[in-house]
């Protein structure tokens, strides 16, 4: 099964291309124009063992909001296409990830129903030049377009960079688990309804 996608999304604010391989090895090529976002996307690729090729051109002369949100949207679209009919997947994924004093938990369900529960009390509003409010926008865009239920909780942390990095690492690992093919469930939809 070839679980890949190549999505291009263009608006008046951004032009985004995302190519993904859900069964990759963590290879990545990232060029969003937002260095901290590239660093976080790298965490998804490496910890999710997902090959990611993402290029974005956005209105960064205004700020990073549209670029970060639209990368999340386009990544969600790519995951939705790559996951296909969801036959044989585990469906649910979860991960706890620490980084020094910080600890985050992410739980993901390929439910077909978009929803985000996001509880990340960042200890400061900026990580370098990156506005931490954009983390929520990224994951909201992803959840809406990947059609997943997504719960993100930072359980503790003092350093905002550590808080953010644990969120993205845990997300990558939860996504990997949920998207994995389960040999015992080969060819079946993991739902009593028979569809997701």
């Amino acid at each position: 099964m070839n679980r890949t996608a190549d999505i291009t999304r263009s608006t008046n604010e951004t032009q985004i291309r995302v190519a993904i391989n859900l069964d990759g090895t963590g290879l990545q090529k990232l060029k969003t124009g937002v260095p901290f976002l590239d660093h976080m996307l790298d965490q998804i690729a490496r910890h999710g063992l997902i090959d990611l090729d993402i290029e974005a051109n956005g209105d960064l002369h205004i700020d990073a909001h549209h670029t970060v949100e639209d990368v999340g949207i386009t990544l969600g679209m790519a995951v939705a296409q790559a996951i296909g009919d969801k036959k044989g997947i585990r469906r649910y994924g979860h991960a706890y990830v620490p980084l020094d004093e910080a600890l985050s938990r992410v739980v993901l369900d390929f439910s077909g129903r978009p929803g985000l529960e996001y509880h990340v009390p960042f200890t400061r509003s900026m990580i370098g030049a990156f506005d931490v409010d954009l983390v929520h926008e990224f994951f909201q865009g992803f959840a809406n377009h990947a059609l997943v239920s997504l719960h993100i909780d930072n359980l503790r942390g003092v350093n905002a960079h550590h808080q953010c990095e644990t969120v993205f690492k845990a997300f990558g690992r939860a996504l990997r688990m949920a998207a994995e093919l389960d040999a015992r469930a080969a060819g079946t939809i993991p739902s009593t309804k028979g569809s997701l």
Side-chain angles (χ1 to χ4, degrees):
M1 185 188 309
N2 187 11
R3 301 195 308 161
T4 62
D6 195 327
I7 300 288
T8 299
R9 182 177 186 271
S10 294
T11 72
N12 290 335
E13 298 167 339
T14 62
Q15 295 78 47
I16 314 283
R17 177 183 168 266
V18 173
I20 188 171
N21 178 1
L22 291 178
D23 301 308
T25 59
L27 298 176
Q28 49 76 29
K29 182 179 176 186
L30 307 166
K31 187 179 176 185
T32 67
V34 182
F36 188 75
L37 177 60
D38 289 348
H39 179 45
M40 294 300 104
L41 293 169
D42 184 30
Q43 305 307 319
I44 296 173
R46 291 177 192 270
H47 290 273
L49 292 179
I50 296 166
D51 294 345
L52 281 181
D53 185 348
I54 300 178
E55 185 169 357
N57 292 298
D59 53 3
L60 295 177
H61 60 284
I62 296 174
D63 68 9
H65 186 113
H66 298 140
T67 298
V68 174
E69 180 180 25
D70 289 2
V71 168
I73 288 170
T74 312
L75 179 61
M77 294 167 65
V79 166
Q81 182 173 312
I83 203 74
D85 62 12
K86 304 177 189 173
K87 286 183 179 177
I89 66 167
R90 294 192 184 278
R91 176 178 171 177
Y92 301 102
H94 58 88
Y96 285 82
V97 170
L99 175 56
D100 297 342
E101 87 299 343
L103 175 66
S104 291
R105 173 184 62 218
V106 174
V107 183
L108 186 147
D109 174 13
F110 275 105
S111 62
R113 298 180 305 279
L116 174 65
E117 283 291 330
Y118 177 88
H119 305 281
V120 183
F122 280 109
T123 56
R124 63 179 190 266
S125 61
M126 301 292 289
I127 301 172
F130 186 84
D131 182 349
V132 298
D133 286 347
L134 300 184
V135 177
H136 178 274
E137 300 307 314
F138 173 87
F139 285 113
Q140 186 70 71
F142 176 86
N144 287 347
H145 292 270
L147 302 178
V148 299
S149 300
L150 182 59
H151 289 249
I152 299 174
D153 295 278
N154 173 245
L155 303 175
R156 61 180 59 91
V158 175
N159 182 303
H161 188 132
H162 292 175
Q163 289 177 288
C164 195
E165 193 164 323
T166 59
V167 164
F168 276 85
K169 286 177 175 176
F171 172 74
R173 289 186 171 266
L175 178 59
R176 171 184 168 187
M177 180 187 290
E180 276 181 343
L181 295 171
D182 183 348
R184 295 176 63 200
T188 64
I189 299 287
S191 170
T192 55
K193 294 189 290 291
S195 66
L196 287 171

